[in-house]
Amino acid sequence: MENGIAPKINLFERMEFSKLDAPGSIKSARLDDIEKPETTDFNGVLTGLVEQLNQTVNAPEQLTQDAMLGKADVHDVMAAIAKSEINVNIATTVVGKVVQTYEKIMQIQI
């Protein structure tokens, strides 16, 4: 540190990415990867979300097989399992809220 100025280090360039971040693999949970739905149709959006959840839930199985063959790291498997658990918990909560809202709407007297 010369002249009281700390060296500037670009941490993003120094980060090591896992197989979860590799192109064509599981989508990252980073905010810059949020995509807008291709359609505004509720059925299409819901179908896309269910398909994405299914891919996320099935990803740990494939990564486990890759880890057994030495093609993947155990850390990638654990990260995929954690991501899968979080997505299932979120989906379960959302479905519960939708059902509660539907029940409240059905109770409204016209």
Side-chain angles (χ1 to χ4, degrees):
M1 185 156 72
E2 294 179 18
N3 301 332
I5 299 174
K8 294 184 179 182
I9 299 173
N10 188 346
L11 294 177
F12 186 75
E13 289 177 354
R14 301 178 94 190
M15 288 174 53
E16 291 185 29
F17 293 100
S18 67
K19 292 201 183 249
L20 295 175
D21 295 320
S25 67
I26 304 168
K27 293 191 178 194
S28 175
R30 293 189 173 97
L31 292 178
D32 58 349
D33 286 343
I34 294 176
E35 298 177 3
K36 294 182 180 177
E38 295 176 6
T39 178
T40 57
D41 177 32
F42 180 75
N43 187 26
V45 171
L46 192 60
T47 301
L49 290 173
V50 169
E51 288 173 359
Q52 187 177 9
L53 176 66
N54 190 34
Q55 289 175 355
T56 304
V57 169
N58 291 331
E61 182 178 342
Q62 181 61 40
L63 283 172
T64 302
Q65 291 174 0
D66 289 346
M68 285 190 245
L69 297 173
K71 297 178 183 177
D73 190 10
V74 176
H75 299 291
D76 293 337
V77 176
M78 296 305 293
I81 290 170
K83 184 176 180 179
S84 176
E85 288 176 357
I86 290 169
N87 282 329
V88 168
N89 288 339
I90 290 170
T92 304
T93 302
V94 168
V95 168
K97 294 293 183 181
V98 168
V99 169
Q100 285 177 356
T101 304
Y102 175 77
E103 289 173 350
K104 286 182 182 179
I105 291 171
M106 294 307 293
Q107 292 175 356
I108 295 174
Q109 301 271 331
I110 298 178

